[in-house]
Amino acid sequence: MAAPVNIVVGSHVWVEDPVEAWIDGEVSRINGLEVHVRTTKGKTVVANISKVFPQDTEAPPGGVDDMTKLSYLHEPGVLQNLAARYELNEIYTYTGNILIAINPFQRLPHLYDTHMMEQYKGAGFGELSPHVFAVADVAYRAMINEGKSNSILVSGESGAGKTETTKMLMRYLAHLGGRSGVEGRTVEQQVLESNPVLEAFGNAKTVRNNNSSRFGKFVEIQFDKSGRISGAAVRTYLLERSRVCQISTPERNYHCFYLLCAAPPEEIDRYKLRNPRSFHYLNQSDCYELEGVNDGHEYLATRRAMDIVGISEQEQDAIFRVVAAILHLGNINFAKGEEIDSSVIKDEQSRFHLNMTAELLKCDAQSLEDALIQRVMVTPEEIITRTLDPVNAVGSRDALAKTIYSRLFDWLVDKINNSIGQDPNSKSIIGVLDIYGFESFKSNSFEQFCINYTNEKLQQHFNQHVFKMEQEEYTKEEINWSYIEFVDNQDVLDLIEKKPGGIISLLDEACMFPKSTHETFAQKLYQTFKNNKRFIKPKLSRTDFTISHYAGEVNYQANLFLDKNKDYVVAEHQALLTASKCPFVVSLFPPLPEETSKSSKFSSIGSRFKLQLQSLMETLSATEPHYIRCVKPNNVLKPAIFENANIIQQLRCGGVLEAIRISCAGYPTRRTFYEFLHRFGVLAPEVLEGNYDDKTACIMILDKKGLKGYQVGKTKVFLRAGQMAELDARRAEVLGNAARTIQRQIRTYIARKEFISLRKAAIMMQSYWRGKMACKLFEQLRREAAALKIQKNLRRYVSRKSYLTVRASAITLQTGLRAMTARNEFRFRKQTKAAIIIQAHWRCYQAYSYYKSLQKAVIVTQCGWRCRVARRELRKLKMASRETGALKEAKDKLEKRVEELTWRLQLEKRLRVDLEEAKAQETAKLQETLHAMQLQIEEANAMVIREREAARKAIEEAPPVIKETPVIVQDTEKVDSLTAEVERLKASLIAQTQSAEEAKQASAAAQAQNEELTRKLGDAEKKVDQLQDSVQRLEEKLSNLESENQVLRQQALAISPTAKALSARPKTPILQRTPENGNILNGEAKKSLDSSLVLSTPREPESEEKPQKSLNEKQQENQDLLIKCISQDLGFSGGRPIAACLIYKSLLQWRSFEVERTSVFDRIIQTISAAIEVQDNNDALSYWLCNSATLLLLLQSTLKASGAASLTPQRRRSTSASLFGRMSQGLRASPQSAGFSFLNGRVLGGLDDLRQVEAKYPALLFKQQLTAFLEKIYGMIRDNLKKEISPLLGLCIQAPRTSRASLVKGRSQANAVAQQALIAHWQSIVKSLNNYLKIMRANHVPPFLVRKVFTQIFSFINVQLFNSLLLRRECCSFSNGEFVKTGLAELENWCHEATEEYAGSAWDELKHIRQAVGFLVIHQKPKKTLKEITNDLCPVLSIQQLYRISTMYWDDKYGTHSVSSEVISSMRVLMTEDSNNAVSSSFLLDDDSSIPFTVDDISKTMRQIEVSDIDPPPLIRENSGFSFLLPRAE
């Protein structure tokens, strides 16, 4: 971070502060190198100019998600950016490809749910907001694409959240590459489930963290070729063994000791445990319990975790027996023995603990005592046994405890690895390193030395990686970077690990000499490194030394270095535990080789750790590293507290500031050409107005300002440290001059505006007074004119009044005379009209009386004749019934008829066709009969008229003849009637010649008479139908009364003359073969046919089976033809799908719904399935969606479950005991008799009207399958549309950057082109919507389903756009809100054009994105209250969503701010309450892909389909088996 060179008075800067680390202010004065800064808190600070750094006043209030985008990449800028983001709960921030994670100390479940994992899956690094999932995704994608192993290094101090971050990394990697493992548990689950076990035995409470990992952990997650997790392994480093024996307040020992002390009572009794305060290894600290943690519950949870990772019950008991033994071992105290330098067990309490330890370890108590207080020395001459003094005995005791615990921890790690299982064939791994961060306390011992040595190693690896990334960036942009120096810490590593001569080597050497002490070791260090710049000797201490690490100087106390570095394998301890009777303890201490088993052997912890670290670095070097730096914001472990000094120290320790220093050594400021021109284009307006490309324009601006040392790459401008501040100073100067110019112009405008207003006021006053004088003059003139007008009007009034009096008198006289004349005329006309009416009514009455007498005579004559004929037929019928011979003759005729009909049964198909044709002919015959009767009526009327004319002519021509010629009258009555008729005709003729109006009235009367006759004819036809029904019932009763032989009686009925007479009667043609006449068919042939079906005997089985076989074959052929037909695109008829109607009418005609077994349903379903195999053929999918919906609607209104139907009138009639009744009922009940359905006209009644049928299981199953196919096709169409618009939605959420041309004023054409480009993607979406709407409308898809499709699509658009808006901060800007609002207007216009019939409520589904965008584009956000926002602006959005948008908002157009801090605080309080109430705090929306309708919804919304007039396709139109599909003649 170079010293600034362009700090001037008025500059906003950062200055150091002892409390806040850095504080911002404004430069008030500069004296040489001294800068006077007035801080925002009101105080003035004087600092050296080299310690003052410029502040970016244009930085977004919410910070940037990648700190390499900062205009000033320095320590205070980084700190301010992290603080701003942490205040908004943005805990993740990038520094290049390094992720900084600040512990929030609160639950943020919305950041880690499955929905969030899906958002980051496959997303580019930096495309979404910073997140730990993004780092894991990059590592996984790099491993898959490049085939190289990757590693993720998680570091930070205790309490920074390393362990939780590691868990999140493993969860995400499991989400990407999870695979089921043994017993249904995945590998990643087993790794995560091992965490509680490792935490119980490897974690402890420290000063800074209640659950601090006291060991380093490297988890290798192994993947196979396909990128699936195939295995895993856990490596541990440097367990803090000394904690077993030594702790201090307020720390605790390892959790497992406290968990065991809180175990159930039976286990406490088994291990003879008591309160933790009674054990020496635990009571060295005053802290025994953790706040909010129940050790008893945690013990049970740990046991369950052990079960999960595969540790058996016996092994668990053995583990906790060893833990209890360590506690008892720590309570063994020693006293001085009788001999010199000897020791004995102190008291009975210690003896009790000694015995308990031996019992728990299952070894001999005396042997344990000897191993603790004796040592065996093997010399060439003899074996010497010596005793230890109490101090050394305590050291021996503690060494045994540490060794046992260390071996136990190693065994647990090995057990976990064996349980998880490693994949030897793994091609690549992703390693997650969770290791302790840099530590610097007031008192630092050997553990801190090793930890900091580890961090120095990792920091060197980190520096190399950062420098490599810098090189790759420079190489990618093709700029010169050869002179940039690499910052390295190799000198510190040489100081620590160099062999020989390093601190670790000197420590091992000192440990090997018995007389070495910590003082001699310290003096050796002072002498060896007195000239090393990284090694410092404190002035006031003889044993301390200081090392200058990359993160700062650390002072180490060498007092315990030698003891903690020694790791003797004590031969007595080894022999004691090897001889244990407990197999588990023996497994912890396998026997040593012969040469090492007789004496103690020195082993260096430092050297062993150095080897482990080298192995780890080799593993990391073979992988592609990714870094996560965890930061603890405060030491009180509470949320919303950001301690600047603490953060800065951790950033130093984590190497983040070191990475920034590496960046500053090169080009810390990088800006794309667009960003550079957008910010500094004001420095050279002529460059923007010129026709230069972006790169040339940037170079011209830099050269104009005289900058040196910068680099221009392919897409970015690279500036050296300080150059950004210099350009900002020049820019501030230009903007200041522009501001002064604007102020001058504004002041001129205000002064001129004031002058114009004064002048306008003076003119208005003058105008007012002049107007006042003019008003007075006008008033005088007006009064004079008014007086003249009054005089004139008064004179006019007097004259007019006298004139009106004379005129009224004249009018009164005229009115009286005219009224008298009119009344006389009216009286005359009224009398004339009354006379005419009386004459007309009298003539009408005479004609009507004559007609009624004629009609009555005709009816009497007809009735007499018909009664005579009927009595004659009745006598014949009675005679026929009494004659036995006639009965036998009828029997013989019937047997012959049966043989004839047996042959005719084979011609059933032709008969059926003939019957259908006869039906049509019968209908036509009825119409012809009706027409003939109408013609007869017309002819009768015409005949009457002709007779009248003839009579009139005869009267005119024949009077002389009548007078002269004598006539012989044979019938006097007839002559009289004719004479009377002649007289009436004469009167009628005279009346017709007298008045034309009377003729018209006669015509009207005749017309009314015709209508009356027509009505009577209809009544007669109804009476005929009723008579026919009565005849049928009488025949059935007659048949039931027969007692001898039903066959003979039926034969007599079939051949009776009555049937022939009835069928031959000309006035009752309706009796032939109609649904209204019941079972009476066309002639005796049809009756004999039905009788033969029942009377066929077993002697003639061939005559029955052959027709039935041919019928089944024909039915199969019809089904094949139907399937072949519907497999083609039959199109539509009047908006109705032909295929669906064809299927329905065929199934209904064949009675397939009422049979127990049929294959036609399966074949139809298979045909539909084959038609929709091509999932992207939306035309075919829409076609079958329409057909499925229509067919389902028809089935819904037709089918009912079996047994649910009530007894219908048709069924009641079919229960007749007559022969024909039982036969027709039997035919209806037989599935094979579908071809004889024409025999029972009453049952079918026609296909035109939908009727309820009792559906069997196959029909109900077909309906369910059809419903499933409807839902499947609907889902396919919806998902196809989603796939089509998904890529476009990614382009629609963020506005494309405006070209440089639009930065220059006056280029309207360029702006128009830019605006057109902005909505191009939205128009593509609208085009896709229109295309799908066109396809579905062309295929007549029901509007209800179309509405559902677009409603779900708009919901999908709402979810995608809204989630992207909340996940990407660059999208939450003012200009982007305008862009999305423009696109939403396109969608709204589409909904309007598509009409509500097809769009429905689709527009309402966009409510989330509409309200979010509306919030982005409103002005004066800081003035809005929380109530206004939640109730008026965004009532649909949750508090979490509003908080996210409010904190991520930034105005790239006008520079306005988001809502006020009070509103933000209120939102945060509400979010905290929601989290406490266990309400889901996820701010992302979920897409609903369910089927949003049911079959009942379809039947309610679709109109009924009329299937009767559907014209069948040519393929089956000519087939006689489908004749029922042809429209019937009316």
Side-chain angles (χ1 to χ4, degrees), residues 92-111:
Y92 294 114
T93 307
Y94 292 134
T95 301
N97 60 348
I98 306 164
L99 179 67
I100 299 176
I102 304 180
N103 194 338
F105 292 118
Q106 61 179 327
R107 292 172 60 252
L108 299 175
H110 61 275
L111 286 180

Side-chain angles (χ1 to χ4, degrees), residues 1031-1048:
V1031 171
Q1032 180 185 353
R1033 286 195 295 271
L1034 290 173
E1035 288 176 347
E1036 289 180 353
K1037 288 180 180 180
L1038 182 61
S1039 177
N1040 291 331
L1041 293 174
E1042 297 292 335
S1043 60
E1044 293 181 357
N1045 191 326
Q1046 290 186 0
V1047 177
L1048 297 178

